Amino acid sequence: MMDRHYQIDRWIPDGSKILDLGCGDGSFLKDLSEKKEITGFGVENDFEKINLCIKNGVSVLHHDIDDGVKEFSGMDFDITIMASSIQCVRNPKRVLKDILKVSKRCIITIPNFGYWKIRFGLFNGRMPISKRLPNKWYETKNIHLCTIKDFEELCLNNELKIIEKHFLNEDGESIKNTFLANLFAAEGVYLVGSR
Amino acid sequence: MAVSLEIISTMEKTRKILRKSQEFHFQNGKSISQFELAYDTYGKLNKAMSNCILVCHAFSGSHHAAGKFDNDEKNGWWDEFIGDGKTIDTNKYFVVSVNNFGSCFGSSGPKSICPETKKPYGIDFPDVTVLDWVKSQKILMEELKIPHWEMVAGGSLGGMQALQWAISYPDIVKKACVIAATAQSSPQNIALNEVAREMIKKDENFHDGNYFEKNAIPKVGLMTARMLGHITYLSENNMQKRFGRKKQNPESKVETDVIYEIENYLRYKGDKFSEIFDANTYILMTKAMDEFNICGDNENDFQLILKKIKAKLLIISFESDWLFPSWHSKFIQKNAMKVGISSSYIELEGSYGHDSFLFASDEYCNIVENFLNFNDG
């Protein structure tokens, strides 16, 4: 099992109520509900992905996160997940601010644009392509990419407390030495809460 | 020479009437001393009786949901979905479709003869509600010894029945597919229905609903009401594409004062409808729609009601539907979500306005098929 799932799983209590913003095909929620008997709901805006959620038996709501996430507040969610989706929204700052009105804790994963291979790609004068960022610049849904430093700064400025964090390599395995994470991590995995 | 081949469907189908000489008590307190329920079945019941699906018809529909029977001019209203190898595959599922009380297509309604007076009920037929229909369908279910529904599905007024089923009988509904419906008729719905009812009632042949006794039919009122209804079932875009501002060919004008194709179309549709539909039924059905309010008075009430549900819900709306706009559907799902009921919502494009629920598209069929065939194991 990839460490990404392992880390995220640890943060999710059995039987909790989960909202997965940008849930894709719903496989993560499906996994979680099999392992931890959670009550999960996905939010997705892409028809093909919604269809796959239904096929996977995952509850999904057709909704564009850019239209806001505040409407999910007061729904008793324990944890909100945004796995590699924060960089796809038009206003990440607003989403980050609103997300803690939805649940007290939130799990956010970001592809790190400071990763050395990406820097190398840019050094070559091209938009970088990697395992975590596989699409060409004109096809990607990622419109607000950031580095680990950038993300943590945004959290700090928005009164978001990073409770725990992990850095992963391209294969989703934990990086033991976090000293130069902004250079060597392909992905950051965060558990955040209110300050 | 062109040869036209008609593909003969091998789908098994039956058309029956359940006759019960027992009282049926309506939600409004009134009752009838005996009743009839007309219904169709499609496909074959398996030995375990675990493959049953109930489809519920909309306002002017009937139990004729699929295929063609001897006297049918057209295929059933959901023929694009129900049949061998279709979305609701009759090789696998046994589909039951019931004509609602108050209708004029075979089940007890204003046109039926009242056993006490030996005359048609007419205006005296009790007001019907969505809950009454669901209860009558439950009676048929027991009669057929069906233990549970794999899915209850319906569009528009049929979607309201699917939702009502999930709430009223949580233990025997596994999945409910609620399409182009609402949890509560809006003031706009009621307003449009009221105009339609007034058109019928103001027809000089209506005679306070006792037109049968006078050997009359309020045809003009019924026709005009349907014309209005028809506009609400389509979208502006759909009308634009289909008719534009095209003028009607003089040879096919239904009346000489018709100018545009859209006028001709509405009059033609209204006229045909007025020949098969009953005016009292129109009033009853629109009243049932107006009365539908499963929400109670506020969202808290609604959530308490939804909490009873054990079925998985799939709620579908259509972008072009302005009769029951998407937010009505999203509202149901979000309240179900709040109380942790397994539920999904999707808005499909649909190019026909409200009527989109009748027409198959790849996206629409895929979603319903995936929902139906998902198995918890």
Side-chain angles (χ1 to χ4, degrees):
Chain A
M1 185 181 67
M2 282 191 299
D3 290 355
R4 184 189 306 119
H5 284 185
Y6 170 72
Q7 300 297 358
I8 294 176
D9 284 5
R10 281 194 313 117
W11 294 331
I12 293 172
D14 285 359
S16 51
K17 190 174 170 184
I18 309 289
L19 183 69
D20 187 350
L21 294 171
C23 66
D25 64 5
S27 52
F28 187 62
L29 280 177
K30 192 186 176 198
D31 257 22
L32 274 179
S33 57
E34 280 161 9
K35 283 186 286 199
K36 303 207 160 204
E37 298 204 352
I38 56 131
T39 305
F41 290 91
V43 173
E44 193 41 77
N45 198 28
D46 179 286
F47 172 79
E48 277 313 318
K49 289 174 181 165
I50 292 170
N51 198 15
L52 289 169
C53 286
I54 306 265
K55 205 172 186 173
N56 281 326
V58 169
S59 289
V60 61
L61 170 70
H62 186 187
H63 176 79
D64 187 348
I65 300 171
D66 281 333
D67 292 338
V69 298
K70 257 197 231 165
E71 56 188 282
F72 302 112
S73 62
M75 286 195 176
D76 308 322
F77 283 108
D78 298 303
I79 290 180
T80 307
I81 300 172
M82 284 197 88
S84 289
S85 57
I86 189 94
Q87 77 280 2
C88 303
V89 303
R90 216 177 292 148
N91 193 341
K93 193 175 159 183
R94 200 187 72 194
V95 171
L96 273 185
K97 220 173 133 190
D98 290 343
I99 210 167
L100 288 173
K101 290 178 187 135
V102 176
S103 61
K104 279 192 183 132
R105 293 196 162 191
C106 178
I107 295 166
I108 298 171
T109 76
I110 56 153
N112 175 25
F113 211 65
Y115 182 47
W116 70 269
K117 279 193 184 172
I118 291 189
R119 296 190 197 196
F120 192 70
L122 280 172
F123 184 74
N124 280 337
R126 306 292 297 268
M127 276 305 277
I129 303 281
S130 70
K131 265 192 195 172
R132 298 295 304 148
L133 300 167
N135 297 315
K136 299 263 194 198
W137 68 273
Y138 48 85
E139 286 166 338
T140 184
K141 286 185 175 173
N142 303 324
I143 53 171
H144 283 118
L145 286 158
C146 66
T147 68
I148 278 171
K149 270 189 189 168
D150 293 330
F151 179 73
E152 293 185 4
E153 187 188 76
L154 182 67
C155 289
L156 193 73
N157 294 340
N158 277 281
E159 303 281 298
L160 286 165
K161 188 180 158 194
I162 296 172
I163 300 165
E164 216 181 308
K165 60 184 175 184
H166 294 277
F167 302 114
L168 310 174
N169 67 17
E170 270 187 286
D171 297 319
E173 291 156 350
S174 275
I175 292 175
K176 300 284 176 284
N177 186 351
T178 59
F179 173 56
L180 285 171
N182 200 33
L183 189 59
F184 292 115
E187 191 179 357
V189 181
Y190 295 89
L191 177 67
V192 300
S194 305
R195 216 167 261 279
Chain B
M1 195 179 85
V3 181
S4 73
L5 285 174
E6 196 177 339
I7 297 161
I8 310 286
S9 169
T10 53
M11 176 179 76
E12 276 194 34
K13 54 185 192 295
T14 67
R15 176 160 289 174
K16 289 177 184 164
I17 293 178
L18 172 71
R19 292 191 170 83
K20 295 289 269 182
S21 46
Q22 68 181 56
E23 284 195 338
F24 185 89
H25 296 275
F26 290 86
Q27 206 183 344
N28 77 346
K30 290 189 180 162
S31 61
I32 50 177
S33 60
Q34 46 180 274
F35 61 87
E36 295 183 344
L37 283 171
Y39 67 97
D40 279 4
T41 70
Y42 313 102
K44 244 173 113 176
L45 188 61
N46 66 10
K47 270 191 188 150
M49 300 184 124
S50 59
N51 65 336
C52 306
I53 291 174
L54 176 71
V55 295
C56 306
H57 71 76
F59 167 71
S60 60
S62 74
H63 49 302
H64 180 207
K68 244 186 215 176
F69 289 79
D70 293 345
N71 299 323
D72 291 332
E73 234 178 81
K74 288 195 286 187
N75 285 324
W77 57 269
W78 228 19
D79 189 72
E80 293 186 12
F81 281 78
I82 305 166
D84 289 353
K86 294 184 186 171
T87 303
I88 299 175
D89 189 351
T90 42
N91 289 314
K92 193 173 168 192
Y93 294 103
F94 177 68
V95 182
V96 180
S97 173
V98 192
N99 187 213
N100 290 333
F101 276 149
S103 172
C104 49
F105 296 118
S107 290
S108 296
K111 270 170 83 178
S112 312
I113 303 295
C114 169
E116 286 77 29
T117 63
K118 313 281 185 236
K119 286 192 295 190
Y121 285 101
I123 197 87
D124 294 326
F125 194 84
D127 284 346
V128 291
T129 63
V130 169
L131 184 62
D132 289 328
W133 294 332
V134 167
K135 283 185 172 164
S136 70
Q137 290 154 1
K138 174 77 171 17
I139 294 173
L140 177 67
M141 184 191 192
E142 282 165 10
E143 204 68 32
L144 298 176
K145 301 194 166 51
I146 290 171
H148 75 268
W149 299 116
E150 272 298 299
M151 178 168 82
V152 180
S156 192
L157 204 43
M160 300 176 202
Q161 292 165 63
L163 184 60
Q164 183 76 61
W165 257 102
I167 291 166
S168 296
Y169 301 105
D171 294 314
I172 48 176
V173 182
K174 280 201 175 170
K175 287 169 186 163
C177 188
V178 180
I179 309 164
T182 181
Q184 183 181 61
S185 287
S186 70
Q188 189 190 50
N189 297 148
I190 298 171
L192 288 162
N193 284 339
E194 177 59 8
V195 176
R197 283 190 294 265
E198 277 299 290
M199 286 168 175
I200 292 170
K201 288 178 182 170
K202 294 283 152 65
D203 186 313
E204 58 177 13
N205 285 320
F206 185 65
H207 299 291
D208 294 325
N210 299 311
Y211 42 88
F212 286 137
E213 288 175 25
K214 307 270 182 189
N215 264 328
I217 286 177
K219 192 171 156 54
V220 175
L222 199 50
M223 175 180 163
T224 330
R226 182 60 171 184
M227 286 168 74
L228 172 71
H230 216 91
I231 297 166
T232 69
Y233 308 146
L234 302 176
S235 67
E236 188 198 11
N237 200 16
N238 177 246
M239 278 197 196
Q240 184 71 43
K241 269 198 212 150
R242 209 158 140 196
F243 306 102
R245 291 183 52 85
K246 276 183 280 187
K247 297 202 166 149
Q248 186 64 37
N249 178 346
E251 283 157 31
S252 51
K253 281 184 180 179
V254 288
E255 276 162 281
T256 49
D257 63 337
V258 157
I259 295 172
Y260 293 101
E261 269 189 13
I262 180 67
E263 294 176 73
N264 205 67
Y265 173 80
L266 285 177
R267 285 200 207 180
Y268 173 78
K269 283 284 184 184
D271 185 58
K272 281 209 99 174
F273 182 80
S274 69
E275 279 165 12
I276 56 161
F277 214 75
D278 175 58
N280 282 319
T281 289
Y282 203 106
I283 291 169
L284 277 186
M285 294 288 171
T286 52
K287 279 280 178 197
M289 199 190 290
D290 291 359
E291 287 311 305
F292 188 69
N293 176 15
I294 219 160
C295 304
D297 294 328
N298 57 52
E299 281 191 51
N300 281 342
D301 285 359
F302 188 33
Q303 286 156 14
L304 283 176
I305 289 164
L306 287 172
K307 241 182 171 164
K308 298 177 193 163
I309 294 179
K310 291 181 185 168
K312 269 181 175 290
L313 301 181
L314 173 64
I315 298 150
I316 300 175
S317 70
F318 297 94
E319 204 185 345
S320 56
D321 182 355
W322 59 275
L323 194 60
F324 297 118
S326 288
W327 73 264
H328 286 241
S329 291
K330 202 173 181 183
F331 176 81
I332 301 172
Q333 198 272 348
K334 279 175 66 185
N335 279 286
M337 191 175 191
K338 160 95 190 181
V339 288
I341 302 299
S342 174
S343 53
S344 293
Y345 158 75
I346 181 164
E347 180 191 59
L348 298 173
E349 208 176 303
S351 38
Y352 303 92
H354 180 62
D355 264 354
S356 297
F357 79 87
L358 295 167
F359 303 104
S361 70
D362 287 349
E363 291 191 345
Y364 187 12
C365 292
N366 273 338
I367 285 277
V368 175
E369 198 172 330
N370 284 335
F371 176 69
L372 173 60
N373 293 327
F374 173 76
N375 205 329
D376 274 316

